[in-house]
Amino acid sequence: MSDASTISAKVSELSNSAWSVADTLWTAFSKSDCGKIILPFMVLRRLDCLLEDSKAKVLKASQGVNPEASPEMRDKLLFKATGLGLKIYNIAPFTLEQVKNQDPAQLFENLVDYINGFPPFLQDVFNARFDLPAKLKKMADKDKLYTVFEKICSMDLHPDKISNLEMGYLYEDLIRKFSEAANEDAGDHYTPREVVTLIAKLLLNNDREAIQGEGVIRTFYDGTCGTGGMLSVAEIEAKKLNPSMIVELYGQQLTDDGYAVCVTDMLMKGQDPLRIKLGDTLKNDQHADKKFHFCMANPPYGTEWKDAKEIIEAEAKKEFDGRFGAGLPRISDGQLLFVQHFISKLRDDAIGGRAGIVLNGSPLFTGGAGSGESEIRKWIIENDYLEGIIGLPTDMFYNTGISTYIWILNNRKHQERKGKVRLLDAGGPEFWEQMRKSMGSKRKQLSAQTVDRIVELFYSNKPSKFVKDFDDADFGYSTITVERPLRDEKGEIVISTKGKTKGKPQADSNLRDTENVPLKENIQDYFEREVLPHAPDAWIDEEKTKIGYEIPFTRLFYEYKSPRSLAEIDSDLKKVTAEIQTLLTEIAE
């Protein structure tokens, strides 16, 4: 394998060449569309180079396939004929190099025929998801097709010249460049590399000893995989720890273009592209029969799940035979549905599984005791799935400047971590550095050294002001309902004459109040100390008591700063007043 500097130079050169091809398209296509043209073109060229040596064998095998053979058997025979061990072939009777030497007027038709020579799943990717034929036709109409095609074909992407690892880096670099060029889409398609690297390292760190040696297999899954960035980085970080590790990547993506890029990215890396599925993960888990060692995701923030309501509610009725047995959050935000989904995807064996999920602040505290959100948090914490949460700096993502948090979930915690949750505040200026040039809302970044520092802090037993450990019960509370008696016009207590409260004081709903009592505190002691001195006639309606959970991350790290003294403020005011007076005098003169 090439060393890192060689890979970097080669990838950079090829990336710049591909980017220069896009220069011919800027005037005729939007920046977003340019990426959706160049990326599939690069894939076509790579596959053409990859299949070049076995072309004759595949065509011969295709002619010899029994006409009555099933499509699956036919594909299997053609996959085998390539000798590559990959689920890929092309039965078009020509290579792209041969197409280049034919009549340019036939280029569009030849390219469509070439695309239709791939296996059905790849035809779907190019035709339906990338919508490439329509883009090729538009390029032909604007007299851009042959120029772009010729430049792409001049790039030698044969595996002898550029490895799968290098091809993966190249494809990732182009995804990044096109995402950044179209700022409006960057947040949807590209999670910052340093955040993804941080998540991958946090997950893998817990498994360092187990993943050493030959024959080790680890599976990674992202149910909102976008263009596959998280999966790609996970493989890179895993291979750094053990180059011989067998890494299997799985994903599901809702949007056509994200799915198409992810599938082709997997092909570029030598991964099985059929492990990437298209569809709504909450509606239809297309990896329902699988569990994974690691899950990584950056699900959408604050997105409603109204269109999936019927299906999700039906699955919730199955309780824990489905994915959503812990509860359902409010319809306007599905983040905690994804959290439940990823917990359901963790391996349930001796090794277990871990998940790293990026969420905004809402899942930490939204919803009071008894609400869907609180019930989900209660289930997660009481089952000891939550290993910790890392608070990230604001302005880290391309499409939002809000605070974000990485939840680390683990269904097989190490002994010293059981019953504990670690919170790490990495949001302060000690962790981030200002970017020289903003990208959308992204103005801050984490250096490689900072990423390693956060990982060390998360696992170290050394005391730090940025780290706080809590018992699971520290996040729980009882919401008690405090009642006071209804009184008549004379001030006498009204006695109830009906129901369960017959013979007892009737409660005045206007005076009803609630109190949140920490789980670790005795309710009666709290009531006698905090309530009775102010309302001696009050009592607790125990039937209405509910258990709730919240994680007040910001409050737990709050440090009180005393206000400035009046003398200091007065001094500053006098100074500013004097400066204003000087300016006014200069103007008057």
Side-chain angles (χ1 to χ4, degrees):
M1 184 180 292
S2 305
D3 63 37
S5 61
T6 305
I7 289 175
S8 177
K10 192 182 296 184
V11 167
S12 179
E13 181 183 348
L14 286 167
S15 178
N16 290 337
S17 295
W19 187 251
S20 69
V21 176
D23 286 342
T24 65
L25 296 173
W26 295 137
T27 56
F29 294 89
S30 70
K31 291 184 177 181
S32 179
D33 276 344
C34 286
K36 294 169 188 175
I37 291 169
I38 300 300
L39 288 172
F41 249 129
M42 292 291 288
V43 177
L44 284 177
R45 179 56 180 155
R46 171 65 168 186
L47 296 180
D48 183 56
C49 293
L50 186 68
L51 297 169
E52 182 181 344
D53 298 337
S54 61
K55 190 72 175 181
K57 291 179 183 178
V58 171
L59 291 177
K60 184 177 179 180
S62 175
Q63 293 165 2
V65 174
N66 187 333
E68 296 182 4
S70 67
E72 292 76 16
M73 179 57 70
R74 176 176 177 274
D75 282 354
K76 191 174 181 180
L77 290 169
L78 295 177
F79 292 151
K80 186 177 180 181
T82 67
L84 297 171
L86 301 173
K87 293 179 179 178
I88 183 68
Y89 62 76
N90 188 286
I91 55 172
F94 43 74
T95 65
L96 292 185
E97 191 66 32
Q98 291 167 340
V99 169
K100 190 173 71 170
N101 297 324
Q102 295 175 9
D103 182 0
Q106 296 298 311
L107 179 57
F108 169 72
E109 289 78 7
N110 287 333
L111 285 175
V112 171
D113 288 343
Y114 187 82
I115 290 169
N116 290 332
F118 286 116
F121 83 91
L122 260 187
Q123 291 182 47
D124 176 70
V125 167
F126 285 116
N127 292 329
R129 311 308 163 190
F130 273 130
D131 195 22
L132 189 55
K135 292 183 175 68
L136 295 176
K137 184 66 169 65
K138 191 179 292 187
M139 291 168 70
D141 292 343
K142 296 185 178 184
D143 200 24
K144 299 286 185 182
L145 181 57
Y146 189 81
T147 303
V148 170
F149 173 73
E150 188 177 37
K151 288 182 178 180
I152 294 290
C153 280
S154 69
M155 301 174 69
D156 189 352
L157 302 182
H158 193 282
D160 290 344
K161 301 291 184 181
I162 177 168
S163 68
N164 282 340
L165 178 63
E166 291 167 322
M167 195 67 209
Y169 276 127
L170 170 60
Y171 204 65
E172 275 183 57
D173 193 53
L174 289 173
I175 293 169
R176 177 186 61 80
K177 283 183 175 179
F178 284 113
S179 293
E180 290 173 2
N183 270 332
E184 70 276 12
D185 294 324
D188 296 331
H189 296 293
Y190 189 69
T191 303
R193 180 71 174 253
E194 71 268 30
V195 175
V196 182
T197 302
L198 173 58
I199 294 172
K201 288 189 171 187
L202 286 165
L203 297 183
L204 287 161
N205 191 85
N206 203 53
D207 209 23
R208 278 179 175 270
E209 294 180 8
I211 61 178
Q212 299 305 314
E214 298 290 329
V216 174
I217 300 175
R218 285 296 180 269
T219 54
F220 290 81
Y221 167 70
D222 183 352
T224 57
C225 64
T227 56
M230 282 198 168
L231 295 173
S232 297
V233 172
E235 181 176 24
I236 291 167
E237 293 301 324
K239 292 283 191 178
K240 284 180 183 177
L241 294 175
N242 180 358
S244 67
M245 187 192 308
I246 299 169
V247 178
E248 296 180 356
L249 306 179
Y250 296 79
Q252 185 165 335
Q253 171 60 17
L254 177 59
T255 63
D256 283 351
D257 55 344
Y259 164 77
V261 172
C262 187
V263 166
T264 49
D265 190 26
M266 294 302 107
L267 271 173
M268 298 300 96
K269 292 177 168 63
Q271 285 282 340
D272 184 350
L274 296 181
R275 292 180 183 142
I276 307 301
K277 306 295 183 182
L278 177 67
D280 188 328
T281 300
L282 295 181
K283 282 185 180 179
N284 179 16
D285 175 14
Q286 296 193 42
H287 292 293
D289 59 336
K290 290 183 173 60
K291 306 272 187 181
F292 305 96
H293 293 101
F294 303 109
C295 296
M296 308 170 68
N298 179 15
Y301 309 147
T303 300
E304 66 176 30
W305 46 279
K306 187 182 295 183
D307 67 324
K309 184 173 183 289
E310 240 179 80
I311 294 171
I312 289 172
E313 287 180 344
E315 186 168 351
K317 288 177 182 176
K318 298 177 184 177
E319 297 184 341
F320 292 104
D321 288 332
R323 295 172 291 167
F324 310 121
L328 300 179
R330 63 197 62 196
I331 201 76
S332 59
D333 189 355
Q335 289 179 89
L336 284 170
L337 291 176
F338 282 106
V339 172
Q340 290 184 81
H341 166 74
F342 286 112
I343 290 175
S344 79
K345 305 306 291 181
L346 301 179
R347 287 171 64 102
D348 191 19
D349 55 14
I351 297 175
R354 307 183 77 223
I357 309 171
V358 183
L359 304 170
N360 69 12
S362 177
L364 294 170
F365 52 79
T366 301
S371 68
E373 291 88 352
S374 179
E375 289 298 294
I376 296 167
R377 287 191 292 269
K378 176 183 177 183
W379 171 73
I380 292 170
I381 294 171
E382 289 188 349
N383 281 279
D384 208 19
Y385 292 140
L386 183 58
E387 185 162 6
I389 297 174
I390 297 97
L392 296 175
T394 57
D395 303 322
M396 281 292 295
F397 287 77
Y398 299 98
N399 58 351
T400 179
I402 62 174
S403 298
T404 50
Y405 302 83
I406 299 172
W407 289 43
I408 301 297
L409 303 160
N410 188 350
N411 64 359
R412 294 291 184 276
K413 286 186 183 180
H414 288 174
Q415 187 61 41
E416 68 274 12
R417 292 268 182 153
K418 288 185 176 178
K420 302 285 184 181
V421 175
R422 171 161 289 189
L423 302 186
L424 195 169
D425 183 7
E430 301 90 345
F431 292 90
W432 55 266
E433 55 187 42
Q434 196 78 30
M435 294 177 65
R436 283 181 293 179
K437 182 181 179 183
S438 298
M439 296 179 186
S441 296
K442 182 173 174 58
R443 299 178 179 85
K444 300 172 184 174
Q445 61 187 6
L446 306 178
S447 68
Q449 293 75 21
T450 298
V451 167
D452 289 338
R453 181 189 177 199
I454 292 171
V455 174
E456 183 182 1
L457 281 170
F458 191 76
Y459 289 105
S460 173
N461 291 321
K462 297 176 183 177
S464 168
K465 69 175 184 177
F466 303 112
V467 174
K468 293 188 178 183
D469 290 326
F470 297 90
D471 294 333
D472 289 347
D474 287 330
F475 302 111
Y477 59 91
S478 299
T479 296
I480 61 172
T481 300
V482 177
E483 302 282 14
R484 295 183 64 188
L486 178 68
R487 296 178 182 271
D488 61 20
E489 294 177 355
K490 297 178 180 180
E492 299 292 331
I493 294 175
V494 177
I495 303 300
S496 176
T497 58
K498 298 179 182 179
K500 294 180 182 179
T501 59
K502 185 176 181 180
K504 298 178 181 179
Q506 185 173 330
D508 187 342
S509 60
N510 291 324
L511 298 177
R512 183 174 295 144
D513 201 1
T514 58
E515 296 275 341
N516 289 338
V517 183
L519 273 189
K520 286 187 171 181
E521 185 161 354
N522 181 276
I523 291 177
Q524 190 59 39
D525 290 345
Y526 176 94
F527 181 70
E528 291 176 1
R529 184 183 72 248
E530 301 293 337
V531 178
L532 287 182
H534 310 287
D537 56 359
W539 72 91
I540 300 172
D541 186 342
E542 294 181 355
E543 289 187 358
K544 294 178 181 176
T545 298
K546 296 177 181 178
I547 303 296
Y549 278 81
E550 68 173 5
I551 306 168
F553 193 99
T554 303
R555 190 174 77 221
L556 292 171
F557 282 96
Y558 174 74
E559 292 183 1
Y560 174 76
K561 294 181 180 178
S562 58
R564 298 165 66 201
S565 67
L566 290 175
E568 187 179 354
I569 295 171
D570 188 51
S571 174
D572 284 349
L573 285 173
K574 287 178 179 177
K575 182 179 178 182
V576 172
T577 303
E579 289 175 353
I580 293 172
Q581 189 61 49
T582 300
L583 291 171
L584 290 173
T585 302
E586 291 175 356
I587 293 170
E589 292 175 354

